[in-house]
Amino acid sequence: MLGGCRRALPAALGRALRGRAAGQGGRAVSTSWCPVGTAFDVKQQQQQPLRGGAAGRDTGLFGVPELNCPEGFQEAQDKALQESEQLVQKACSTPPGPETVMIFDQLSDSLCRVADLADFVKVAHPDFAFREAAEEACRNIGTVVEKLNTDVELCQSLRRLLADETVLSSLDPETRRVAELFMFDFEISGIHLDEEKRKKAVELNVRILDLCNEFLIGTHIPNKIDKHVLPEHIRYNFTAEGNYLRIAGLHADCPDDLVREAAYKIFLHSNSQQLARLEELLASRNSLAQLVGYDTFAHRALQGTMAKNPETVRQFLEKLSEQLSKRTQKDFEMMTKMKMKLNPHNSMLMPWDHPYYSGVLRAERYNIDPGLYCPFFSLGACMEGLNSLFSQLLGISLYAEQTKRGEIWSEDVRKLAVVHETEGLLGYIYCDFFQRPDKPHQDCHFTVRGGRLKENGEYQLPVVVLMLSLPNSARGAPTLLSPGMMENLFHEMGHAMHSMLGRTRYQHVTGTRCATDFAEVPSILMEYFANDYRVVNQFARHYKTGQPLPKNMVSRLCESKKVCAAADMQLQVFYAVLDQIYHGKHPLKKSTTEILKETQEKVYGLPYVPNTAWQLRFSHLVGYGAKYYSYLMSRAVASMVWKQCFAQNPFDRAMGERYRREMLAHGGGKEPMLMVQGMLQKSPSVEDFVDALVSDLDHDFETFIMDS
């Protein structure tokens, strides 16, 4: 998934603050670079950071001089705000022309360079003081952005440009689109309102920011229960704290039905404070949307996406659910039979059973034991596999680069230089791959700096972070990935390549700063490469013997993912429908929990469990509010691109260049559906999206017969 940028900033400048970065530059291969696989083969062989600055003074996080201590965020923030004030004055006094758009983009960049970086640091830095300082910087800059969003004089400078037909007709398509996007974001923030209502819009936006942060924190807080409430024989599964047990997750993979049931009921137990936050967040979003002229928050959020409006999303989800119905029912029947086989005293299928018994069915039918695969997927080998794929497909190589003292926040972080065979250095990827205390257990891509063409003609290289949660390996041994971890690595690297190759003049639309339902396409497409034997065969070697991973093992692994896949997809439809209802017409007809119960039983099919409130753990409501459907729609597009363009030859350089040219290069500087149309040579319909998703569920006949 995309991290960092998904805060609720609807500002003209907020689009970039919500987005991802990309760019290119030109630099010869450095002698300080080393092969990417070597840097990851043995995690414990730590690099010795170079000393930087006068008298060995730390260079600061990501090479930003001010950030060699937590207090540096205040200094960086002050510099950004001072620069933004000067740029606002310049924008207001500059005659209408291309320079106006460039100044707006500079203004956006000056704030993003601090806000995007802080967005990562506030969740991932091991030092609480750094996290706290970054959180404060995020809030302060977010507040400034909301005020700029409703600055009438600033908006007028852009409006004069868009009203001048002579000047407008002289702009190139990218500049014109960026100008229109800035104006669009002003409008959805209420620039057309009177002063009192504009002030109200700013207040709502700031409150929404705070509620998002509070709700997000609440989604991860464990629940505690008196240990005597649970049977003694299952207590060891949970963390003991005195007379209490700490339940921090669903324990979905635990073979004991009672453990999963207890974890589900306790972890998802309703919390009045979190419930109040969610209700206020949904109400505030609706109030803001109606204040600026939209029927619902969903109508406001879906402007500029592939779907365009809630009606299309609803049609997509309904048609998909209809196509999945019989398959899902069959999946539930298989899971129920398996549960009866293993636990004849309690055969009713419950929500905590779905992930476990679908896994049992996959393992039984295809003999899938992750332990059999891990030795073939050392982290170093997987990174070399990515390097090889990108080299053949796009002419890109990854090199590990030495870091300076203070540049990274943990000693096991690796810095990669992304280099094109003719264009030179494109940007940097910081790989924060390993688990550590207080680090979120999630896989994310964060922008640290966006790519753009600077005033002096140089290109500002993009900088991103890929954050994974890989286990720490034994000293002297390579880190071994499960098939799921390997696929997640490919997914997140898809985001990174979008950031590196989304070469745009303006950082406002660079890389993954694009429509949410398009932003996941490059990452999901990489999952198809990760599941293709021709790709896997290039790097999957047993770390001790060098033996290649047998083809039938890859085939079985891929086919196993289709077992109960309809039920898995139906669960995603349920989440997406729930998200649409929550962000639809207000006031809601029922409580969020009653809506959850009704929607779960109608769309998903498994019974609601009394006194639970799963929606209070639905963290995607923050970053993907009214847009959770994006995962499904992006997967549909990725499926079509794979089948039409890469299934025949995943290393086709001509097709790789077309993919870069049509889908990656524009960032958000082109209508998303036009990019899809350019790649597929047609504009897909809702029915095409549904067909693509459903066809992915069909088993490969050859593998099915072989394993039968």
Side-chain angles (χ1 to χ4, degrees):
M1 68 175 285
L2 295 174
C5 62
R6 300 295 181 188
R7 32 165 139 36
L9 291 181
L13 307 176
R15 176 186 301 276
L17 286 174
R18 287 194 299 268
R20 279 293 171 266
Q24 294 177 321
R27 174 175 156 186
V29 175
S30 168
T31 55
S32 67
W33 293 338
C34 68
V36 65
T38 306
F40 291 93
D41 270 338
V42 182
K43 174 188 168 248
Q44 280 68 26
Q45 291 178 359
Q46 303 295 357
Q47 57 184 345
Q48 295 300 315
L50 301 175
R51 293 183 177 274
R57 184 175 184 268
D58 286 0
T59 182
L61 290 173
F62 300 102
V64 178
E66 296 90 344
L67 299 184
N68 62 348
C69 62
E71 293 75 21
F73 269 105
Q74 184 66 51
E75 185 180 349
Q77 173 190 305
D78 291 344
K79 284 176 65 175
L81 296 181
Q82 184 178 4
E83 184 181 352
S84 69
E85 288 177 9
Q86 295 170 353
L87 288 167
V88 168
Q89 293 174 7
K90 187 176 180 181
C92 294
S93 60
T94 299
E99 189 183 358
T100 304
V101 183
M102 185 173 288
I103 294 168
F104 266 78
D105 195 61
Q106 285 178 256
L107 176 56
S108 176
D109 182 62
S110 69
L111 296 171
C112 284
R113 283 201 310 270
V114 178
D116 279 338
L117 191 156
D119 225 14
F120 167 72
V121 173
K122 76 177 185 181
V123 299
H125 202 288
D127 186 331
F128 176 75
F130 266 101
R131 296 200 302 270
E132 191 175 43
E135 177 72 55
E136 182 66 16
C138 280
R139 191 179 192 283
N140 291 340
I141 289 183
T143 301
V144 170
V145 167
E146 300 308 340
K147 290 178 180 176
L148 289 174
N149 236 8
T150 52
D151 186 315
V152 175
E153 188 179 0
L154 182 62
C155 181
Q156 284 297 338
S157 67
L158 190 63
R159 188 165 279 154
R160 286 193 296 271
L161 168 68
L162 294 171
D164 191 324
E165 287 296 332
T166 303
V167 174
L168 198 59
S169 61
S170 70
L171 301 180
D172 64 85
E174 185 181 26
T175 300
R176 179 167 180 162
R177 175 168 169 80
V178 171
E180 290 170 345
L181 287 172
F182 273 123
M183 180 54 70
F184 166 72
D185 284 342
F186 270 125
E187 289 169 350
I188 67 170
S189 298
I191 196 68
H192 54 287
L193 304 174
D194 59 43
E195 185 176 356
E196 185 178 341
K197 289 181 178 178
R198 288 200 307 274
K199 184 178 179 182
K200 175 66 173 176
V202 171
E203 291 172 352
L204 278 169
N205 269 312
V206 172
R207 181 57 184 151
I208 288 169
L209 273 176
D210 289 341
L211 287 167
C212 283
N213 285 329
E214 292 168 13
F215 181 79
L216 198 56
I217 291 169
T219 61
H220 300 297
I221 294 176
N223 278 339
K224 293 181 181 180
I225 190 169
D226 189 315
K227 67 180 182 182
H228 298 100
V229 173
L230 295 182
E232 188 173 355
H233 72 279
I234 70 168
R235 294 176 194 169
Y236 74 93
N237 289 278
F238 309 108
T239 303
E241 294 182 358
N243 287 323
Y244 292 88
L245 295 175
R246 182 170 169 267
I247 288 79
L250 295 175
H251 292 250
D253 296 328
C254 182
D256 190 324
D257 287 358
L258 188 58
V259 171
R260 295 196 313 279
E261 178 180 355
Y264 188 95
K265 290 180 175 179
I266 298 167
F267 186 65
L268 298 183
H269 193 272
S270 188
N271 177 290
S272 59
Q273 287 182 307
Q274 183 75 339
L275 187 61
R277 289 187 198 109
L278 176 59
E279 290 172 347
E280 187 181 353
L281 173 59
L282 297 177
S284 297
R285 283 175 167 174
N286 182 73
S287 296
L288 176 63
Q290 293 194 329
L291 181 64
V292 300
Y294 290 90
D295 290 342
T296 67
F297 180 79
H299 283 90
R300 179 179 180 271
L302 295 178
Q303 290 288 304
T305 61
M306 283 198 293
K308 297 187 183 302
N309 55 63
E311 291 72 31
T312 300
V313 174
R314 183 167 60 249
Q315 183 186 17
F316 168 60
L317 295 174
E318 286 176 355
K319 286 181 179 292
L320 179 56
S321 186
E322 182 181 324
Q323 289 292 314
L324 291 173
S325 179
K326 290 183 179 179
R327 293 173 185 250
T328 300
Q329 191 57 42
K330 185 177 178 181
D331 287 350
F332 284 154
E333 288 172 2
M334 288 194 301
M335 286 185 244
T336 301
K337 288 179 182 177
M338 179 56 71
K339 185 174 183 180
M340 288 177 64
K341 177 181 175 182
L342 299 179
N343 186 0
H345 302 295
N346 183 13
S347 60
M348 183 176 180
L349 197 68
M350 299 299 288
W352 54 80
D353 293 324
H354 177 162
Y356 176 71
Y357 285 108
S358 61
V360 171
L361 284 165
R362 291 185 189 106
E364 183 182 77
R365 181 170 297 182
Y366 288 100
N367 190 26
I368 302 300
D369 177 1
L372 297 175
Y373 288 84
C374 291
F376 295 90
F377 294 141
S378 74
L379 179 56
C382 292
M383 293 302 295
E384 285 292 0
L386 284 162
N387 191 36
S388 174
L389 176 63
F390 293 147
S391 177
Q392 295 175 76
L393 206 59
L394 298 162
I396 285 173
S397 297
L398 307 174
Y399 295 94
E401 180 171 304
Q402 188 75 290
T403 56
K404 296 180 180 179
R405 193 178 73 180
E407 183 180 350
I408 56 177
W409 49 100
S410 180
E411 63 180 1
D412 54 16
V413 172
R414 295 290 178 266
K415 179 183 180 182
L416 301 184
V418 181
V419 184
H420 189 271
E421 60 191 15
T422 60
E423 298 167 30
L425 182 63
L426 304 184
Y428 291 104
I429 303 170
Y430 287 82
C431 299
D432 186 357
F433 283 173
F434 299 98
Q435 295 175 2
R436 62 174 174 270
D438 295 325
K439 179 183 175 183
H441 286 273
Q442 62 189 62
D443 298 339
C444 273
H445 165 283
F446 291 85
T447 291
V448 172
R449 184 177 70 199
R452 71 183 182 101
L453 187 63
K454 296 193 288 188
E455 300 68 52
N456 61 6
E458 295 179 0
Y459 201 84
Q460 176 172 290
L461 297 177
V463 177
V464 304
V465 175
L466 293 190
M467 186 171 76
L468 304 179
S469 298
L470 302 181
N472 293 285
S473 61
R475 182 169 295 277
T479 298
L480 303 179
L481 277 58
S482 68
M485 292 173 187
M486 183 271 285
E487 186 177 284
N488 287 350
L489 172 62
F490 271 64
H491 177 103
E492 298 305 331
M493 196 60 79
H495 283 311
M497 283 302 109
H498 197 182
S499 288
M500 296 296 116
L501 293 173
R503 176 178 169 79
T504 56
R505 189 183 316 173
Y506 305 101
Q507 73 90 39
H508 189 61
V509 293
T510 193
T512 58
R513 301 197 200 282
C514 58
T516 307
D517 53 9
F518 181 84
E520 293 292 334
V521 173
S523 54
I524 294 174
L525 180 62
M526 284 298 295
E527 295 177 22
Y528 286 87
F529 284 95
N531 286 287
D532 187 278
Y533 177 72
R534 294 162 295 180
V535 176
V536 174
N537 186 51
Q538 291 211 334
F539 69 89
R541 298 287 184 275
H542 196 287
Y543 78 101
K544 287 183 178 178
T545 67
Q547 174 193 355
L549 182 65
K551 183 177 181 179
N552 70 326
M553 286 183 67
V554 177
S555 299
R556 292 205 311 271
L557 179 65
C558 294
E559 287 304 296
S560 74
K561 294 176 183 178
K562 298 176 183 178
V563 175
C564 299
D568 294 343
M569 192 175 290
Q570 190 66 52
L571 181 60
Q572 295 300 309
V573 173
F574 158 52
Y575 295 159
V577 170
L578 187 68
D579 174 44
Q580 288 296 305
I581 295 173
Y582 283 167
H583 292 99
K585 190 172 179 59
H586 276 242
L588 297 173
K589 295 179 180 179
K590 300 178 180 179
S591 71
T592 58
T593 302
E594 289 172 326
I595 291 170
L596 170 77
K597 177 181 185 298
E598 183 178 282
T599 308
Q600 179 172 324
E601 294 177 349
K602 177 183 177 182
V603 179
Y604 181 34
L606 294 186
Y608 165 78
V609 179
N611 300 315
T612 62
W614 176 86
Q615 77 275 21
L616 304 185
R617 300 288 185 180
F618 194 9
S619 60
H620 281 80
L621 288 174
V622 171
Y624 284 72
K627 297 180 183 179
Y628 191 83
Y629 77 92
S630 296
Y631 286 109
L632 288 166
M633 191 167 283
S634 288
R635 182 167 293 280
V637 174
S639 174
M640 287 187 276
V641 171
W642 170 258
K643 291 168 187 170
Q644 184 174 317
C645 306
F646 295 109
Q648 187 173 349
N649 178 9
F651 309 111
D652 188 333
R653 179 63 180 270
M655 199 58 75
E657 293 295 342
R658 177 171 147 190
Y659 173 54
R660 175 183 178 179
R661 183 176 64 251
E662 297 292 347
M663 297 193 77
L664 299 180
H666 304 286
K670 190 175 181 179
E671 286 281 347
M673 194 57 86
L674 290 179
M675 292 189 275
V676 173
Q677 187 176 335
M679 190 68 195
L680 298 176
Q681 300 297 297
K682 74 167 190 174
S683 184
S685 64
V686 166
E687 288 76 16
D688 290 330
F689 289 147
V690 171
D691 289 344
L693 290 170
V694 174
S695 67
D696 275 353
L697 304 177
D698 295 329
H699 286 276
D700 176 74
F701 183 73
E702 181 183 348
T703 306
F704 182 77
I705 292 299
M706 178 182 68
D707 286 303
S708 294

